[in-house]
Amino acid sequence: QILAREGFRCDVATGGREAQRLAMAHDYDAILCDLRMPDLDGPAFYAFLAAERAPLCARTVFVTGDTLGQAASEFVASSGRPVIEKPFVPNEVRRVVAALSNGGKSAG
């Protein structure tokens, strides 16, 4: 909703497998990926991107509503990708996406 109000076209996946399908079908300027998703978690989705759509890895931001445990913290640190914590602060979402965006108006 935050990005849609800014004029971005946004696709929403209800789980990791749907996110994979969308990532194969579209070239996104930004991907906001929850660390916890039904049927495929954030680290597994990121590994899929690395193998199948590597350029999208650099456009990925992880989101979480949980305090990061050791495994999640290590994964995020090793990925080098930014993290946005829930509840979302609109200015933070805009700032992170603007930093990733190549000037287009689509976000997944």
Side-chain angles (χ1 to χ4, degrees):
Q1 293 173 342
I2 294 166
L3 295 173
R5 285 192 294 262
E6 296 290 322
F8 286 87
R9 189 203 73 200
C10 301
D11 295 331
V12 177
T14 58
R17 299 274 181 228
E18 184 180 2
Q20 284 180 318
R21 183 183 59 74
L22 288 169
M24 291 302 291
H26 302 283
D27 233 3
Y28 290 107
D29 295 325
I31 295 175
L32 278 64
C33 176
D34 206 320
L35 287 174
R36 290 189 182 185
M37 296 184 289
D39 66 45
L40 187 76
D41 66 8
F45 175 71
Y46 191 74
F48 162 81
L49 287 180
E52 301 294 330
R53 299 290 315 269
L56 293 179
C57 289
R59 301 179 204 157
T60 300
V61 176
F62 291 106
V63 298
T64 185
D66 300 328
T67 302
L68 294 180
Q70 183 175 352
S73 292
E74 289 173 3
F75 164 72
V76 169
S78 70
S79 75
R81 306 309 312 144
V83 175
I84 300 174
E85 293 187 21
K86 298 176 192 173
F88 298 126
V89 176
N91 286 339
E92 178 68 4
V93 173
R94 287 186 208 101
R95 183 191 67 73
V96 170
V97 170
L100 296 178
S101 180
N102 64 11
K105 289 281 185 181
S106 70

